[in-house]
Amino acid sequence: MQHDPDKPPPANRPLLVLAGVLLVLPCLALVPVGWYASADDPRGHDIGGWPMFNWFQMLMVPITALFTVAAYAVVKKARPHVPVQPVGRHAKADPRWAHELPRLRTQPSTPNTGVN
């Protein structure tokens, strides 16, 4: 399958929305500071002598990393790899592909094994 570089790559929009939600959720979890920190009793939410605020912030670092990895995986699924081959006006304009054009037009695409 050849992809026209003038058009955006095919994408699964619901999966891209899911990836956006996965990126926004950790940010929203950090917004309501009143849930995990109190100005009235700053030592009321201590765990091991540390304020709950610090614990929650430290806990959110790996959680945010996991959400980011999940979002990356979802985006990779939503936008599958499209091999880039010269097509249209781009093929004619790029001198790096000039020697490949006759071969690309006549032969099916095969993996390069290094053996001619």
Side-chain angles (χ1 to χ4, degrees):
M1 177 177 143
Q2 289 185 349
H3 173 68
D4 186 2
D6 291 330
K7 296 180 182 171
N12 184 336
R13 286 192 187 267
L15 285 179
L16 292 177
V17 169
L18 174 63
V21 169
L22 287 171
L23 292 173
V24 168
L25 283 177
C27 298
L28 293 178
L30 293 171
V31 171
V33 178
W35 287 354
Y36 54 90
S38 173
D40 298 335
D41 187 11
R43 290 294 189 195
H45 299 289
D46 282 3
I47 298 176
W50 280 32
M52 179 60 182
F53 175 82
N54 295 70
W55 281 108
F56 191 74
Q57 295 285 319
M58 292 296 183
L59 179 67
M60 287 306 294
V61 171
I63 289 174
T64 302
L66 290 174
F67 273 75
T68 303
V69 168
Y72 175 75
V74 169
V75 168
K76 292 291 280 184
K77 177 96 172 143
R79 289 190 173 186
H81 173 70
V82 178
V84 178
Q85 292 182 353
V87 274
R89 63 182 177 86
H90 297 285
K92 296 172 188 166
D94 192 351
R96 294 176 294 171
W97 288 94
H99 68 283
E100 295 283 339
L101 285 177
R103 183 182 67 82
L104 288 174
R105 288 188 184 125
T106 59
Q107 296 178 356
S109 116
T110 57
N112 184 4
T113 59
V115 179
N116 290 335

